[in-house]
């Protein structure tokens, strides 16, 4: 017989995956965490207008930095980059390093190329 989970069981589940990523360009390791549902919604809303159209004519400017900023956490799961200014500064770092972090963030958060194209309005 199937046992269904209660709301308390669901809400108390530790269900956010994380992965430690070696970033030699930065001289060490960062922890990348899967985005919770509300954070992913907030992240995606930065690129999509109310009518569903892409907000930015130039596409996904700042996507990698914003995704890395949204998913790099400390050992306790607390975001390391919380402000738009910090995300912008992160965007000035190595593209290779950012891509490495973003590849893991996208995999953990179940984002794929189709999701990114949809955000870009393609």
């Amino acid at each position: 017989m199937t046992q269904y989970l209660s709301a308390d069981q669901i809400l108390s589940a530790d269900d956010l995956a994380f992965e430690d990523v070696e970033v030699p360009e930065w001289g060490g390791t960062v922890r990348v965490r899967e985005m919770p549902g509300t954070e992913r919604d907030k992240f995606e809303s930065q690129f999509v207008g109310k009518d569903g159209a892409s907000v930015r004519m130039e596409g996904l400017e700042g996507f990698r930095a914003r995704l890395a900023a949204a998913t790099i956490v400390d050992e306790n799961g607390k975001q390391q980059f919380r402000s738009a200014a910090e995300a912008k500064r992160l965007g000035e770092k190595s593209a290779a390093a950012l891509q490495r972090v973003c590849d893991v963030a996208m995999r953990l958060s179940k984002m794929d190329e189709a999701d990114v194209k949809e955000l870009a309005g393609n």
Side-chain angles (χ1 to χ4, degrees):
M1 178 169 176
T2 302
Q3 287 190 320
Y4 296 102
L5 296 171
S6 69
D8 287 340
Q9 289 172 310
I10 294 168
L11 295 175
S12 66
D14 184 10
D15 63 349
L16 296 174
F18 66 87
E19 187 173 314
D20 293 340
V21 179
E22 186 68 29
V23 186
E25 297 88 348
W26 298 342
T29 302
V30 298
R31 177 160 285 181
V32 177
R33 183 197 69 198
E34 172 186 2
M35 280 190 280
T38 54
E39 283 184 26
R40 181 168 170 180
D41 291 343
K42 182 179 176 182
F43 174 79
E44 289 177 339
S45 73
Q46 297 175 72
F47 300 99
V48 179
K50 290 182 175 110
D51 61 357
S54 175
V55 172
R56 300 176 180 273
M57 295 300 291
E58 62 274 9
L60 296 175
E61 181 180 319
F63 176 83
R64 285 174 188 78
R66 290 181 188 196
L67 180 58
T71 58
I72 294 174
V73 298
D74 67 13
E75 65 275 2
N76 298 312
K78 185 175 179 181
Q79 273 186 300
Q80 294 295 290
F81 301 94
R82 291 184 220 95
S83 72
E86 288 176 320
K88 183 174 180 161
R89 287 184 60 207
L90 186 59
E92 296 169 0
K93 302 308 290 175
S94 163
L98 286 171
Q99 188 63 55
R100 190 174 306 108
V101 169
C102 287
D103 288 345
V104 173
M106 289 179 65
R107 180 172 42 78
L108 292 176
S109 297
K110 305 297 187 237
M111 294 177 74
D112 61 21
E113 192 173 324
D115 294 322
V116 177
K117 285 181 180 180
E118 183 178 334
L119 290 176
N122 296 331

